[in-house]
């Protein structure tokens, strides 16, 4: 039995969907453990493009059980319309199951997310405005509404009567927005609950039984390590725990139930939204990394915003390895570096004022004071082979191999899967980690 977490090792958008799609084929369960419809990815299969926000992409394979855990936040309107679109595309959703303990994104969460961002002005976080932060805030404040609450009129009325007056006061008094009507919300959300009722399951118990039956489980992380509410670049983070530990809390399995963690990282770095980004580039080099005009150009799937791009940051990846026990890496988009003259990788940060050098992420430094220390690599532009054409590690250009070897040595973790192009078959599965080997 393999129980594997696939997570983002950077600021999200690392190309997790392609890796999950690859590994899901051999999994019995594919499970989302955090985040909501702030996540977004497109998977091309059978000549069709499918858009996913909350539904695990494992649903593309018939017979896989796809679970949405208690650690996620669910906007039922968005989930139901995603489900409808997938059904219209001919997918069977009977194996989709949802935890009744997941928190519900209510209309006031979305309105408050937008109003808070507006009020932050220059200090805005750049959220996806899907109500994610306010939904998690209510969960922690114990004022949230869970999926189980929208299945029962009395329960939902009691919860709304307790919560809505405060939300309406915030909307009207603090943000000068119209108040929301309780009866209206009640009716709408009970209807959503009615539609979701057939999908409800005890995710924790299902996974416990799956493990007992030696079935393979794939936990699919959303966002990435540096957007983690605890270990990321706070406050420019999301409100959940994308790191591997999030999978245990967000689904109700114990830590010993997980036996492999695949960190997905791009061969460079990207970020959407606001916040520090030490290795950010602009100008011509950025243009190469953005790959504008190609179907794999760097634009957010959920919001369509252009992503900022920069060199690979190994200080941040070392943090990702440490906080999630990453046991192997999937490095994506190596082919995008095919046209680079030289390539840099950040190996440390230097404090511009004091000259102090940090090889590990310094928790108490203001990132504005830090500049990256780079190691330069020769590109492979002038070699005969290109990454895009390689289908095994030995086919890669010599300089690309050198770049990969250095990353592995620095992180102490092997790169077992390498993405060399956008298509499903443009991938090198070099030496899968022991646990993952039985999956691929
Ligand atoms: P929120 O999750 O909508 O609250 O947004 C908080 C931060 O996380 C913002 O910087 C977003 O751009 C970022 N973010 C949220 N979801 C994703 C994602 O799926 N990929 C990349 N960044 C994301």
């Amino acid at each position: 039995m393999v129980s594997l977490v696939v997570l983002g090792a950077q600021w999200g958008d690392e190309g997790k969907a392609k890796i999950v799609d690859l590994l899901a084929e051999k999994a019995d369960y594919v499970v989302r453990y955090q985040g909501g419809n702030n996540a977004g990815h497109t998977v091309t299969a059978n000549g069709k493009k499918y858009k996913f926000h909350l539904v695990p992409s494992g649903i593309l394979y018939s017979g896989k059980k796809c679970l949405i855990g208690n650690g996620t936040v669910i906007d039922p309107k968005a989930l139901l319309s995603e489900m409808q679109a997938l059904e219209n595309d001919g997918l069977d959703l009977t194996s989709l199951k949802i935890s009744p303990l997941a928190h519900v994104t209510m209309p006031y969460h979305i309105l408050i997310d937008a109003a808070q961002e507006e009020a932050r002005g220059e200090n805005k976080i750049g959220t996806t405005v899907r109500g994610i932060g306010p939904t998690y805030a209510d969960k922690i404040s114990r004022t949230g509404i869970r999926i189980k609450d929208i299945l029962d009129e009395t329960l939902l009325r009691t919860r709304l009567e307790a919560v809505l007056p405060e939300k309406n006061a915030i909307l009207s008094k603090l943000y000068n927005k119209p108040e929301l009507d309780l009866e209206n919300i009640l009716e709408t959300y009970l209807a959503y609950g009615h539609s979701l009722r057939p999908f409800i399951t005890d995710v924790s118990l299902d996974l416990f039984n799956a493990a007992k039956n030696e079935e393979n489980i794939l936990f699919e992380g959303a966002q990435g390590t540096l957007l983690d509410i605890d270990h990321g670049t706070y406050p420019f983070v999301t409100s959940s725990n994308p790191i591997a530990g999030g999978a245990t809390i967000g689904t109700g399995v114990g830590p010993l139930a997980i036996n492999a963690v695949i960190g997905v990282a791009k061969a460079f770095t990207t970020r959407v939204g606001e916040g520090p980004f030490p290795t950010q580039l602009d100008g011509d080099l950025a243009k190469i990394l953005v790959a504008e005009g190609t179907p794999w150009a760097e634009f957010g799937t959920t919001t369509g915003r252009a992503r900022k791009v920069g060199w690979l940051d190994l200080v941040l990846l070392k943090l990702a390895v440490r906080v999630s026990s990453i046991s192997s890496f999937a490095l994506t988009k190596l082919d995008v570096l095919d046209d680079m003259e030289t390539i840099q990788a950040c190996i440390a940060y230097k404090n511009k004022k004091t000259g102090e050098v940090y090889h590990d992420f310094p928790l108490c430094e203001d990132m504005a004071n830090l500049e990256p220390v780079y190691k330069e690599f020769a590109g492979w532009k002038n070699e005969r082979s290109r990454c895009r054409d390689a289908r095994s590690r030995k086919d890669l250009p010599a300089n690309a191999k050198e770049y990969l070897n250095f990353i592995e040595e620095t992180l102490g973790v092997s790169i077992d899967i390498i993405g060399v192009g956008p298509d499903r078959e443009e991938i090198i599965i070099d030496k899968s980690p022991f646990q993952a080997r039985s999956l691929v």
Side-chain angles (χ1 to χ4, degrees):
M1 170 229 164
V2 175
S3 178
L4 175 77
V5 181
V6 176
L7 57 82
Q10 295 162 320
W11 275 292
D13 307 317
E14 298 91 350
K16 293 180 289 292
K18 191 173 166 174
I19 307 303
V20 168
D21 182 43
L22 173 86
L23 299 174
E25 199 182 349
K26 296 277 162 53
D28 300 297
Y29 284 76
V30 183
V31 194
R32 269 288 297 273
Y33 58 87
Q34 46 71 232
N37 61 328
N38 48 348
H41 53 258
T42 309
V43 179
T44 308
N46 321 316
K48 262 192 200 167
K49 276 191 172 171
Y50 300 90
K51 280 194 188 310
F52 293 96
H53 293 284
L54 254 164
V55 175
S57 57
I59 206 84
L60 285 171
Y61 297 97
S62 71
K64 306 282 166 213
K65 289 161 200 111
C66 292
L67 309 184
I68 302 179
N70 58 278
T72 63
V73 289
I74 297 178
D75 177 341
K77 184 178 176 194
L79 175 61
L80 286 164
S81 82
E82 182 180 342
M83 288 164 65
Q84 187 62 60
L86 294 171
E87 269 183 341
N88 292 347
D89 278 334
L91 295 182
D92 175 11
L93 297 189
T94 43
S95 66
L96 176 69
K97 298 288 171 215
I98 302 164
S99 167
L101 305 184
H103 278 249
V104 179
T105 296
M106 303 297 288
Y108 45 80
H109 291 134
I110 300 170
L111 294 170
I112 292 173
D113 193 357
Q116 284 177 335
E117 277 288 85
E118 203 182 314
R120 284 181 192 121
E122 282 198 347
N123 296 323
K124 70 174 196 257
I125 291 164
T127 74
T128 59
V129 203
R130 299 294 189 270
I132 303 297
T135 311
Y136 278 113
D138 273 3
K139 170 179 174 169
I140 300 302
S141 300
R142 295 159 291 184
T143 49
I145 290 179
R146 296 185 289 179
I147 289 287
K148 62 185 273 192
D149 300 328
I150 64 170
L151 304 177
D152 181 299
E153 181 170 351
T154 315
L155 217 54
L156 184 56
R157 185 179 289 281
T158 311
R159 298 297 294 153
L160 279 173
E161 279 170 356
V163 172
L164 197 60
E166 188 198 14
K167 300 299 174 193
N168 273 336
I170 292 172
L171 283 171
S172 62
K173 303 220 162 53
L174 200 58
Y175 297 121
N176 216 10
K177 306 277 180 209
E179 297 197 349
L180 299 171
D181 178 56
L182 189 145
E183 296 302 328
N184 205 340
I185 299 180
L186 187 75
E187 193 187 329
T188 312
Y189 279 72
L190 283 174
Y192 294 150
H194 182 75
S195 303
L196 291 176
R197 184 182 284 280
F199 297 93
I200 305 298
T201 198
D202 183 337
V203 167
S204 168
L205 188 60
D206 285 3
L207 292 177
F208 184 74
N209 289 329
K212 266 207 302 204
N213 295 334
E214 298 281 307
E215 293 185 282
N216 289 334
I217 303 167
L218 194 163
F219 295 94
E220 175 182 351
Q223 290 86 44
T225 303
L226 299 162
L227 291 172
D228 186 275
I229 186 77
D230 285 280
H231 297 283
T233 46
Y234 193 91
F236 302 100
V237 292
T238 190
S239 298
S240 63
N241 290 109
I243 63 168
T248 72
I249 293 166
T251 65
V253 303
L256 299 183
I258 293 171
N259 48 37
V261 180
I262 295 197
V264 186
K266 276 180 186 149
F268 48 99
T269 311
T270 64
R271 169 161 216 181
V272 271
E274 306 303 316
F277 184 172
T279 63
Q280 189 178 348
L281 290 169
D282 47 29
D284 289 346
L285 289 175
K287 275 193 195 136
I288 298 179
L289 296 181
V290 169
E292 207 172 317
T294 65
W296 56 97
E298 295 290 354
F299 289 93
T301 316
T302 300
T303 56
R305 291 176 293 176
R307 295 175 188 147
K308 297 162 193 162
V309 294
W311 295 120
L312 188 69
D313 189 330
L314 292 167
V315 180
L316 295 180
L317 286 186
K318 272 163 83 178
L319 171 78
V321 168
R322 180 154 45 88
V323 297
S324 284
S325 303
I326 289 176
S327 50
S328 81
F329 267 100
L331 197 77
T332 60
K333 288 197 156 192
L334 185 60
D335 56 297
V336 173
L337 302 181
D338 274 348
D339 292 324
M340 290 286 183
E341 220 47 85
T342 55
I343 291 155
Q344 318 270 351
C346 170
I347 51 166
Y349 297 145
K350 186 173 166 186
N351 185 309
K352 285 181 264 186
K353 291 181 187 151
T354 64
E356 192 161 354
V357 173
Y358 300 97
H359 290 273
D360 287 297
F361 189 79
L363 297 184
C364 297
E365 280 279 13
D366 179 350
M367 283 186 92
N369 294 333
L370 300 175
E371 61 184 14
V373 178
Y374 286 116
K375 177 172 167 63
E376 185 170 288
F377 295 83
W380 45 90
K381 201 177 167 185
N382 300 321
E383 290 191 44
R384 247 190 270 142
S385 55
R386 294 171 73 72
C387 294
R388 185 90 197 254
D389 305 320
R391 291 296 173 270
S392 78
R393 189 149 167 169
K394 67 175 173 18
D395 300 336
L396 288 170
N399 288 347
K401 282 186 217 158
E402 208 168 294
Y403 182 57
L404 296 182
N405 290 342
F406 181 79
I407 297 171
E408 288 180 325
E409 268 165 38
T410 309
L411 300 177
V413 178
S414 63
I415 299 169
D416 294 336
I417 299 173
I418 304 164
V420 289
D423 293 337
R424 232 181 185 178
E425 62 280 5
E426 289 178 309
I427 198 142
I428 297 171
I429 302 162
D430 181 39
K431 48 172 174 44
S432 292
F434 173 68
Q435 291 93 337
R437 187 172 291 141
S438 61
L439 278 181
V440 291

